[in-house]
Amino acid sequence: MLKLFFVLVIALSAFTLQAESQAEPLKLSPGLWEGISSDDMFYQVLEINEKGPHRLVSAKLSAGFKQIEFYLFSDDQVKCSVTECIVEATNTRRPNEFVRLILTPYLDDYFTVLHIVHDETGKPILSDHYRLAQQKSQSTVRRFLDARLPQLKALQPTSADVMDGVWIGVMVSSVGDADMVLLEFSSQQTSTMTRYINGMSVSHVSSFKPEDVRKQGELWLIQGTHPIQGSNRQLVMQRNGDTFIEGYWSDSLRGHSSYAGSFRLIRLGK
């Protein structure tokens, strides 16, 4: 019996080694991926073309996308194994600055990314991690700028002690997805909060009137619009100094929770 057990173990090991030897290395197929590194509020867009060069675009949300870094790389700078792809790209404005991306597949249309910026000696300058979703349409950044760029350029500085103004930031869902959000707050007129969903060409918009806002201590409690009758959307917000807002967005669909996420926003035009 023991001899049979060892024979089975050896056969299983041989089968596993054979399967691994036959596994094909990963490949970065042409397409567009996008995601957000939520810690520093950078929107990351990875563009893989049919023929190089390819590029990573890093756009800073808190600067209203006025600060954008471009990193270029060729096919020769992509090395893939059966578990991950490693990309080495060069900053187009600072040729002594590089980014290394370690991409691991997550489900079918996502990559989990370790993002490392380093100098010419390989010394790390900073690192971050995020998830990239495949975008089969125009990038969310491009759609946002096409619709909002004139408004962003026209923004004027506002008083730090008032809530009114335009705020931008990142919302992280209860399952870890990070999306861009834009709050246009008015104490006298209808306000809107828009969530731009990564990898999709749609956004979720919630509006609320001044009478939908209730102040409780340091908190703003808001009843937002929900597109489905009989469902609810609630926002809870709190100022964090003069520059930031922190809060929570929750949706319930006919009595059942359908989405929950926490967000952090920074004022634009300050």
Side-chain angles (χ1 to χ4, degrees), residues 3-266:
K3 182 177 180 181
L4 177 61
F5 173 77
F6 280 115
V7 169
L8 289 174
V9 169
I10 292 171
L12 180 60
S13 299
F15 176 79
T16 302
L17 288 173
Q18 182 180 12
E20 289 180 349
S21 65
Q22 294 175 347
E24 292 288 335
L26 295 173
K27 184 179 180 181
L28 290 183
S29 301
L32 189 68
W33 284 263
E34 59 184 13
I36 297 177
S37 48
S38 56
D39 289 344
D40 54 8
M41 290 191 183
F42 269 88
Y43 216 109
Q44 312 286 0
V45 180
L46 181 65
E47 300 176 0
I48 305 297
N49 300 307
E50 289 282 354
K51 297 180 180 179
H54 320 290
R55 68 177 183 171
L56 173 74
V57 182
S58 295
K60 193 168 185 178
L61 275 73
S62 58
F65 297 108
K66 295 177 184 177
Q67 180 181 335
I68 301 179
E69 302 288 348
F70 296 92
Y71 297 89
L72 292 182
F73 59 98
S74 64
D75 290 338
D76 294 337
Q77 293 171 284
V78 181
K79 307 297 181 185
C80 293
S81 69
V82 295
T83 57
E84 76 253 339
C85 286
I86 299 177
V87 172
E88 288 282 354
T90 306
N91 192 310
T92 57
R93 293 193 299 117
R94 293 186 293 276
N96 60 341
E97 180 182 294
F98 307 86
V99 65
R100 177 177 299 145
L101 305 177
I102 302 175
L103 301 103
T104 304
Y106 176 79
L107 302 178
D108 291 331
D109 298 321
Y110 297 87
F111 281 109
T112 297
V113 182
L114 177 60
H115 178 121
I116 305 167
V117 178
H118 63 89
D119 62 19
E120 67 272 15
T121 69
K123 181 180 178 181
I125 299 172
L126 60 88
S127 64
D128 205 345
H129 62 88
Y130 46 88
R131 187 181 298 166
L132 291 176
Q134 187 173 18
Q135 173 59 269
K136 297 180 181 179
S137 182
Q138 193 178 42
S139 75
T140 299
V141 171
R142 175 47 54 197
R143 287 194 299 111
F144 176 83
L145 290 177
D146 286 347
R148 300 285 188 167
L149 188 57
Q151 177 193 12
L152 297 180
K153 289 182 176 180
L155 286 176
Q156 298 295 322
T158 54
S159 175
D161 60 352
V162 299
M163 189 83 156
D164 292 43
V166 180
W167 305 74
I168 196 169
V170 180
M171 184 179 297
V172 180
S173 76
S174 56
V175 295
D177 295 325
D179 297 317
M180 179 175 67
V181 284
L182 185 77
L183 171 66
E184 299 163 275
F185 190 90
S186 172
S187 58
Q188 305 297 321
Q189 302 176 21
T190 298
S191 304
T192 61
M193 189 166 184
T194 306
R195 178 166 68 97
Y196 297 85
I197 304 173
N198 281 333
M200 300 179 68
S201 57
V202 298
S203 55
H204 288 174
V205 181
S206 186
S207 60
F208 49 93
K209 299 176 182 178
E211 57 266 31
D212 298 324
V213 181
R214 181 166 56 93
K215 189 80 182 319
Q216 183 175 305
E218 298 297 319
L219 299 178
W220 276 266
L221 308 179
I222 301 168
Q223 187 68 48
T225 58
H226 196 291
I228 300 178
Q229 188 175 6
S231 300
N232 294 303
R233 174 167 293 157
Q234 294 183 327
L235 306 173
V236 180
M237 298 190 295
Q238 181 177 13
R239 292 288 295 272
N240 182 355
D242 295 333
T243 308
F244 292 98
I245 290 176
E246 294 178 341
Y248 189 77
W249 167 311
S250 63
D251 286 347
S252 60
L253 185 59
R254 298 190 177 97
H256 300 280
S257 177
S258 58
Y259 178 85
S262 57
F263 56 83
R264 189 167 188 256
L265 310 175
I266 188 169

